[in-house]
Amino acid sequence: MAQKADYEELMRQLGAVGSVRRELARILPDGCSNGSATALALLGRDGDLRLGGLAELLGVDMSVTSRLVTHLADRGWIDRSPDPADRRSRILRLTPEGRARLAELSDRTAQELARRLSDWNDEDIRRLTSLLSRLRAGFDGPQRTEHDARAEPPATALSPCTPAVTQ
Amino acid sequence: MAQKADYEELMRQLGAVGSVRRELARILPDGCSNGSATALALLGRDGDLRLGGLAELLGVDMSVTSRLVTHLADRGWIDRSPDPADRRSRILRLTPEGRARLAELSDRTAQELARRLSDWNDEDIRRLTSLLSRLRAGFDGPQRTEHDARAEPPATALSPCTPAVTQ
DNA sequence: TATTGTTATACTCTATAACTATA
DNA sequence: TATAGTTATAGAGTATAACAATA
């Protein structure tokens, strides 16, 4: 186990991520919150999803995701086709307009990050991404105590994109 | 400049930090939000601060900080003594009760992080902390465009605690 | 005049709970 | 009975703007 001071410092830096995200959101166009942008990106990367799956990827409650999805559908960026396998669900998919929107968002975001992180090399960025992915994996699911940790299933749906190797 | 896909993935992982922080906040005692805990930690680490300085360290507006500080003072965890150098300001300082509270919070947080990140070694944690510190540094202050970036002063008050070396 | 801090207000994001429809 | 999703509501957390006191 690491030193307590190391954990404290990690906590402080995690808190600062909030202001970074708010700053990044400033460059997004109208109708595109951070949540909208993330949802579009996930649908662009992972293809068709159901609401629950998207909620899990976003790391927020289904109720939050439901309203977000309504927002995106109202703007014509996604469509919701019936799920033939389960009539309670619908399949979420980017429309061509949504894909164009996503491309624009990606451009803006990449441009802003390149500007803000001009002194970072590719390796730095990938390393941070990988570590954040591992961090998230550690917080998946509800709290399992140290007692039942080994009995737990390996937590499927959220497999990080970056392999998350230690080094 | 990194690949656009790398930036996109970084964005997604930054978004996930929110749910990690919410999960961590669940173990905090009543009256202690993430903001309260962070403010106590900063006052514990950096000693006396004025409201503006604390706001800058927290990365939020002074109005937000003002209410947070009132909350902490109401609970007797900090006191606000007059600043002899500037009668508009007050000096914020942990009380003994605040220090005890902070110790308890640190214990809980370290315990929870140790549990969640049981497969992390000290080096992993320090690396993530260092990278987040650099990330934050890149987003300091208002947006400076690439045109006036060099004319900008070096942004004093927020020197990251971790040296933020590239490796 | 400019700066430090406070307060009022509104906006965004989030979870909880009650509900509907389907499995 | 259990699950997927929707909606109503409430609670954090945040910024903007108007203001007071002081520099």
Side-chain angles (χ1 to χ4, degrees):
Chain A
M1 161 172 167
Q3 294 303 306
K4 205 200 289 187
D6 291 333
Y7 286 129
E8 288 172 9
E9 181 61 20
L10 175 57
M11 281 297 292
R12 276 192 290 272
Q13 297 303 334
L14 285 176
V17 171
S19 56
V20 169
R21 289 195 81 221
R22 283 191 294 281
E23 198 63 35
L24 277 167
R26 286 176 177 274
I27 64 158
L28 297 178
D30 267 6
C32 270
S33 63
N34 261 325
S36 297
T38 306
L40 291 176
L42 288 169
L43 284 165
R45 189 196 62 180
D46 293 348
D48 303 352
L49 286 170
R50 301 200 302 171
L51 189 84
L54 180 58
E56 199 167 0
L57 290 172
L58 286 169
V60 298
D61 193 83
M62 257 209 299
S63 65
V64 177
T65 311
S66 178
R67 260 187 329 226
L68 178 55
V69 159
T70 299
H71 175 91
L72 297 177
D74 286 348
R75 276 157 187 74
W77 297 336
I78 65 174
D79 65 18
R80 296 177 280 194
S81 56
D83 181 347
D86 186 341
R87 277 187 301 165
R88 292 173 303 181
S89 298
R90 286 182 285 186
I91 303 292
L92 310 177
R93 202 189 322 260
L94 288 184
T95 61
E97 293 77 18
R99 216 162 272 287
R101 197 49 151 179
L102 172 58
E104 184 201 348
L105 293 173
S106 293
D107 283 345
R108 289 207 200 192
T109 300
Q111 203 172 338
E112 179 71 1
L113 279 173
R115 190 164 75 74
R116 296 286 197 167
L117 308 182
S118 54
D119 59 333
W120 290 50
N121 59 43
D122 296 14
E123 185 57 28
D124 292 331
I125 294 184
R126 277 193 290 267
R127 204 184 332 251
L128 174 55
T129 304
S130 169
L131 286 167
L132 287 173
S133 171
R134 279 185 69 200
L135 176 72
R136 174 184 189 165
F139 281 82
D140 259 354
Q143 16 207 45
R144 51 189 180 290
T145 68
E146 51 272 25
H147 302 112
D148 56 16
R150 5 175 181 50
E152 206 73 11
T156 63
L158 242 167
S159 72
C161 338
T162 329
V165 281
T166 304
Q167 163 64 286
Chain B
M1 162 171 167
Q3 295 301 308
K4 204 198 291 187
D6 292 334
Y7 286 129
E8 286 172 10
E9 183 59 21
L10 176 56
M11 282 297 292
R12 276 191 291 272
Q13 297 303 335
L14 285 176
V17 171
S19 56
V20 169
R21 290 196 80 220
R22 282 192 296 280
E23 199 62 36
L24 277 167
R26 286 175 178 274
I27 64 159
L28 297 179
D30 266 6
C32 270
S33 63
N34 262 325
S36 297
T38 306
L40 290 176
L42 288 169
L43 284 165
R45 190 196 63 180
D46 293 349
D48 304 351
L49 286 170
R50 301 199 304 170
L51 189 84
L54 180 59
E56 199 167 1
L57 290 173
L58 287 169
V60 298
D61 193 84
M62 257 208 300
S63 66
V64 177
T65 311
S66 178
R67 260 187 328 224
L68 178 56
V69 159
T70 298
H71 176 91
L72 297 177
D74 286 348
R75 275 157 187 74
W77 297 337
I78 64 174
D79 65 18
R80 296 178 279 195
S81 56
D83 182 347
D86 185 341
R87 279 187 298 167
R88 291 171 303 183
S89 299
R90 286 183 284 185
I91 303 292
L92 310 176
R93 202 188 325 259
L94 289 183
T95 60
E97 293 78 18
R99 215 163 272 285
R101 196 51 151 179
L102 172 57
E104 185 201 347
L105 293 173
S106 292
D107 283 345
R108 289 207 200 193
T109 299
Q111 204 173 338
E112 179 71 1
L113 280 172
R115 190 165 75 74
R116 296 286 197 170
L117 308 182
S118 55
D119 59 331
W120 290 51
N121 59 42
D122 297 15
E123 185 58 29
D124 292 331
I125 293 184
R126 277 195 290 268
R127 207 187 326 256
L128 174 55
T129 304
S130 169
L131 286 167
L132 287 174
S133 172
R134 278 184 69 198
L135 176 72
R136 175 185 188 163
F139 280 83
D140 260 354
Q143 14 207 46
R144 49 187 181 291
T145 69
E146 52 272 25
H147 301 112
D148 56 17
R150 5 173 181 52
E152 206 74 9
T156 64
L158 243 168
S159 72
C161 337
T162 328
V165 281
T166 303
Q167 161 68 290

